[in-house]
Amino acid sequence: MAEKEISLLKEQLARLDEKKFDLDAWKNHTLIFLERIFGKDNSKLKIIRDLHYDYSSWNLRDTAASGKSKDKDPVKMQAREILQATILELETLGLPQGEDDQRKVWLLLQDELTGKQTKEIEALLKSDDKEKAKRISKILENIDKENLAGVLAKLLTN
């Protein structure tokens, strides 16, 4: 299970109750942890990034009129809900499974291969041919060096 990740997020939950709470510092720490756990394109990161205090005069007036106190801080409440949902997700479903490397390579190669080449490689991959690596290599030799370099660059940057 994801004990270490859950522990980190629970620490972030506790930091919401600190007297000298700094939202920007809290967001930065939380974003680092969430990116490591879920990847840089996860929707949770955007939600955390979008947390902010609304200092408009209308909002300040409404807050004063309603008597909201610091324990009803809407930003902290939303942050708490996000982290609690994330912890529940990790406890229930475990860590997210990343796309395996072979699949990534295959998807990138498909952009550079013709339909015929793709079918040939798929057939070889499914076959019991002892020389399938050699035959796949022959097919890949037909890809332009520039395109092959592009595929490698994409792999390294992902």
Side-chain angles (χ1 to χ4, degrees):
M1 197 159 94
E3 289 91 12
K4 292 177 185 176
E5 292 81 359
I6 291 169
S7 175
L8 281 173
L9 296 178
K10 285 183 177 179
E11 284 179 33
Q12 288 304 102
L13 263 176
R15 288 188 63 209
L16 289 170
D17 297 324
E18 290 178 352
K19 279 191 174 189
K20 292 186 178 184
F21 177 74
D22 179 351
L23 179 62
D24 288 330
W26 180 89
K27 284 171 40 173
N28 288 335
H29 279 95
T30 305
L31 289 169
I32 290 167
F33 299 148
L34 290 176
E35 185 173 324
R36 174 150 181 147
I37 297 168
F38 294 100
K40 63 183 176 182
D41 297 325
N42 192 276
S43 62
K44 292 170 191 63
L45 277 80
K46 182 182 180 339
I47 295 169
I48 295 291
R49 275 189 200 101
D50 291 345
L51 287 175
H52 67 279
Y53 287 105
D54 185 3
Y55 293 112
S56 70
S57 60
W58 289 104
N59 189 51
L60 293 173
R61 179 199 58 140
D62 293 344
T63 301
S66 67
K68 287 183 183 175
S69 62
K70 288 188 177 186
D71 62 327
K72 303 261 190 220
D73 183 330
V75 173
K76 286 184 179 182
M77 287 173 52
Q78 189 175 7
R80 185 171 275 105
E81 288 294 323
I82 294 164
L83 286 182
Q84 287 172 339
T86 303
I87 290 168
L88 181 62
E89 176 184 347
L90 289 170
E91 288 173 342
T92 307
L93 303 174
L95 289 168
Q97 299 298 316
E99 191 176 19
D100 70 327
D101 292 337
Q102 186 178 7
R103 176 119 176 97
K104 285 181 187 177
V105 171
W106 180 242
L107 290 173
L108 289 171
L109 277 174
Q110 281 181 320
D111 290 341
E112 304 302 328
L113 297 171
T114 65
K116 180 182 176 191
Q117 291 169 323
T118 302
K119 288 177 185 175
E120 287 174 0
I121 291 175
E122 283 176 333
L124 284 168
L125 289 172
K126 292 176 185 175
S127 76
D128 292 329
D129 188 347
K130 292 178 182 174
E131 295 196 3
K132 67 179 163 184
K134 188 176 181 180
R135 291 181 186 202
I136 291 172
S137 179
K138 274 281 195 207
I139 295 168
L140 294 177
E141 285 176 5
N142 294 326
I143 297 176
D144 293 338
K145 287 182 182 181
E146 293 167 358
N147 293 348
L148 200 52
V151 170
L152 290 173
K154 288 177 189 175
L155 284 172
L156 291 171
T157 56
N158 281 342

